[in-house]
Amino acid sequence: MALSENCDVTALTQALQSADPDEQMQALDACLSALTDPTLWYWLIGFTVVCALVGALIGKYKNAVVRDTLLGLALGPIGWGISLLLPKATPKPLCRACGKPVDAGDRHCRHCGAAL
Ligand SMILES: [Zn+2]
């Protein structure tokens, strides 16, 4: 069932102002069943997953998978736009001794202690 057929704001407002309690309950039930309709939730969950996946894909090219996945998850297509506008993150330099990532300003590797 479509949301607009059973639950629109005007109909709900009118029903709630009506003196007939049955009519009020019917209007509330229609809105409630529209909200608990599983199809609506499948679409919402599917859309959220797609948003996160596209965000992750953008993040892969921007070297910021976690950041862009979260942006896509939280903001959807707006998050993708923000991800695309943000500058590409530079990967951290690697320690020559152990190969683990270190911060650019570090004098010694925090993993193996080798001088950088
Ligand atoms: Zn190291």
Side-chain angles (χ1 to χ4, degrees), residues 39-55 72-78 80:
T39 326
L40 180 76
W41 288 98
Y42 293 148
W43 276 104
L44 270 177
I45 292 166
F47 183 69
T48 308
V49 170
V50 168
C51 285
L53 284 178
V54 173
L73 199 64
L75 302 173
I78 299 166
W80 305 341

Side-chain angles (χ1 to χ4, degrees), residues 4 6-7 9 21 36-37 40 47 49 54 58 60 62 66 68 71 76 79 86-87 92 95 99 104-105 116:
S4 55
N6 300 298
C7 174
V9 180
T36 52
D37 185 358
L40 180 76
F47 183 69
V49 170
V54 173
I58 297 170
K60 214 178 156 201
K62 294 275 183 175
V66 176
D68 291 350
L71 273 172
L86 285 171
K92 285 188 171 187
C95 168
L116 299 170

Side-chain angles (χ1 to χ4, degrees), residues 61-64 67 86-92:
Y61 291 102
K62 294 275 183 175
N63 294 318
R67 180 199 73 189
L86 285 171
K88 195 168 179 170
T90 44
K92 285 188 171 187

Side-chain angles (χ1 to χ4, degrees), residues 95 97-100 109 111-114:
C95 168
C98 70
K100 287 183 178 163
C109 172
H111 303 286
C112 69

Side-chain angles (χ1 to χ4, degrees), residues 82-94:
I82 295 172
S83 301
L84 288 170
L85 288 174
L86 285 171
K88 195 168 179 170
T90 44
K92 285 188 171 187
L94 299 179

